[in-house]
């Protein structure tokens, strides 16, 4: 699987993503600067975490209008899979490649802790190697992870398998305590309509090595590599 | 030409920052504040001198960058 990781000014998890992708695929991803208007031919495009452009105006708003995003949009429209994590998810919603928006955490505090995710749709190229209902514990670290979509959009997401992951407790249930940021319906990640674009707030790339304290993020990357190789 | 763009959260979108301000006003003893919603004001200076063209350009700026219309409304005010 060939992949590219887009780097914006203020990205800070790009090397974590590179390490996770290389571990899973055995190939080093290309790093592409946001001002580049060309992307190498790849099987997966990844927008990593960070604080692109200092989160000025709104998290992801400036980055969504970067030169490279024209090409990311063009590839996404052709069906090239795109994964956005944390700031990458925010950028994908700002670019309207994913529905909804990510707002300030309901607590108004930066949240940095492990969260447990439940796989809601395992019938996609990203999640096909996982089981529906499967749980994985991975870290999250964000200030603006509060997923909002209007009622009609939430219903459409629900009806079409558009919800990828939800925050759950140890028993696998969605509760207010298990929801770190106030996201509507405990949504941690969503797909686009064709399930070729995935965004999620938590960081599976930071749970791929025993030194991270857990390796439950590996299964996601292993599954993506399997689907795209 | 000068312009102000007012960006506000759509009705129905929760505003935890507005809520925090509301609580703080209550703690300061300001009674009778029934709701607080926080927004943004963006001031712009435009080279354009034609009002209609300025408004059209501002509208496009709002849709493309200044507001996220999934969660926000915007209002354009030409101030001179």
């Amino acid at each position: 699987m060939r992949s590219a990781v887009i780097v914006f000014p203020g990205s800070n998890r790009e090397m974590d993503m590179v390490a996770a992708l290389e571990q899973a695929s055995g190939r080093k991803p290309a790093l592409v600067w946001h001002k580049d208007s060309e992307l190498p031919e790849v099987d997966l495009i990844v927008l990593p975490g960070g604080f692109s452009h200092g989160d000025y105006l709104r998290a992801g708003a400036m980055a969504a209008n970067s030169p490279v995003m024209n090409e990311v949009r063009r590839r996404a429209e052709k069906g090239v899979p795109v994964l956005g994590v944390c700031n990458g998810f925010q950028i994908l919603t700002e670019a309207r490649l994913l529905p909804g928006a990510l707002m300030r955490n309901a607590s108004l505090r930066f949240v940095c802790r492990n969260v447990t995710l439940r796989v809601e749709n395992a019938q996609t190229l990203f999640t096909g190697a996982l089981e529906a209902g499967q749980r994985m514990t991975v870290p999250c670290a964000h200030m603006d992870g509060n997923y909002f979509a209007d009622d009609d959009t939430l219903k459409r997401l629900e009806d079409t398998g558009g919800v990828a992951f939800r925050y759950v407790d140890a028993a696998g249930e969605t509760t207010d305590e298990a929801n770190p940021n106030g996201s509507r319906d405990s949504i941690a990640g969503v797909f686009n309509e064709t399930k070729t674009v995935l965004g999620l707030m938590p960081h599976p790339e930071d749970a791929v090595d025993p030194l991270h304290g857990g390796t439950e993020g590996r299964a996601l990357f292993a599954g993506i590599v399997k689907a795209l190789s | 030409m000068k312009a102000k763009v007012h960006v506000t959260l759509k009705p129905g979108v929760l505003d935890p920052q507005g809520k925090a301000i509301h609580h703080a006003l209550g703690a300061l003893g300001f009674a009778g504040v029934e709701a607080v919603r926080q927004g943004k004001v963006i001031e712009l200076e435009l080279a354009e001198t034609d009002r209609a063209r300025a408004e059209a350009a501002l509208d496009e700026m709002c849709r493309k960058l200044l507001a996220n219309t999934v969660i926000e409304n915007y209002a354009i005010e030409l101030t001179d």
Side-chain angles (χ1 to χ4, degrees):
Chain A
M1 182 189 78
R2 300 159 303 168
S3 57
V5 177
I6 314 291
V7 184
F8 301 92
S11 293
N12 61 17
R13 303 258 179 158
E14 70 274 20
M15 295 316 290
D16 303 39
M17 187 57 76
V18 165
L21 290 167
E22 192 174 359
Q23 179 195 62
S25 70
R27 291 181 75 151
K28 218 176 183 58
L31 283 170
V32 179
W33 183 235
H34 74 121
K35 284 200 170 163
D36 292 349
S37 50
E38 286 179 23
L39 266 174
E41 284 299 318
V42 290
D43 307 302
L44 174 73
I45 299 167
V46 184
L47 277 57
F51 297 86
S52 58
H53 300 274
D55 279 354
Y56 292 167
L57 192 64
R58 296 177 307 276
M62 311 287 182
N65 292 293
S66 293
V68 75
M69 288 305 292
N70 289 327
E71 185 59 18
V72 171
R73 177 176 282 105
R74 207 177 66 78
R75 298 282 178 97
E77 282 165 1
K78 278 169 60 184
V80 175
V82 180
L83 169 67
V85 169
C86 196
N87 190 220
F89 183 15
Q90 295 162 340
I91 294 167
L92 289 172
T93 59
E94 281 285 342
R96 303 289 198 272
L97 288 169
L98 286 173
L102 291 144
M103 305 186 59
R104 185 58 41 97
N105 294 342
S107 64
L108 301 179
R109 290 195 171 89
F110 189 89
V111 179
C112 182
R113 63 170 166 98
N114 280 342
V115 290
T116 299
L117 303 179
R118 188 178 69 201
V119 178
E120 300 293 299
N121 179 352
Q123 308 285 318
T124 74
L125 70 94
F126 295 102
T127 54
L130 307 172
E131 302 280 334
Q134 182 178 337
R135 277 167 262 161
M136 61 169 107
T137 298
V138 300
C140 74
H142 58 251
M143 186 75 202
D144 298 87
N146 183 353
Y147 185 75
F148 176 87
D150 61 29
D151 293 345
D152 290 347
T153 306
L154 283 183
K155 185 173 183 310
R156 196 183 73 236
L157 284 171
E158 200 61 52
D159 292 348
T160 59
V163 179
F165 302 103
R166 282 197 163 87
Y167 301 108
V168 296
D169 63 12
E173 301 300 323
T174 55
T175 63
D176 287 347
E177 293 72 35
N179 182 345
N181 49 36
S183 289
R184 290 198 80 184
D185 291 358
S186 293
I187 289 173
V190 297
F191 296 110
N192 67 339
E193 275 178 36
T194 54
K195 315 295 184 284
T196 51
V197 179
L198 166 65
L200 74 164
M201 283 312 296
H203 291 279
E205 77 279 19
D206 287 317
V208 299
D209 187 293
L211 284 173
H212 287 144
T215 58
E216 292 181 23
R218 274 186 191 175
L220 178 69
F221 293 101
I224 295 171
V225 170
K226 196 174 154 203
L228 298 179
S229 296
Chain B
M1 185 171 297
K2 289 186 180 176
K4 277 187 187 175
V5 170
H6 301 259
V7 181
T8 51
L9 285 174
K10 286 184 173 175
V13 176
L14 285 181
D15 178 13
Q17 295 177 101
K19 255 189 196 165
I21 295 166
H22 192 187
H23 286 149
L25 288 173
L28 285 168
F30 292 102
V33 179
E34 290 181 349
V36 178
R37 306 277 284 169
Q38 181 186 288
K40 294 182 188 114
V41 178
I42 301 165
E43 296 177 330
L44 303 99
E45 288 186 29
L46 306 177
E48 182 61 70
T49 52
D50 179 82
R51 292 179 73 85
R53 277 204 296 267
E55 278 185 4
L58 286 161
D59 193 67
E60 196 179 355
M61 289 179 210
C62 287
R63 282 183 286 109
K64 284 198 172 159
L65 181 66
L66 302 181
N68 178 345
T69 53
V70 174
I71 48 171
E72 293 168 329
N73 288 328
Y74 61 87
I76 294 162
E77 182 190 352
L78 293 177
T79 53
D80 68 354

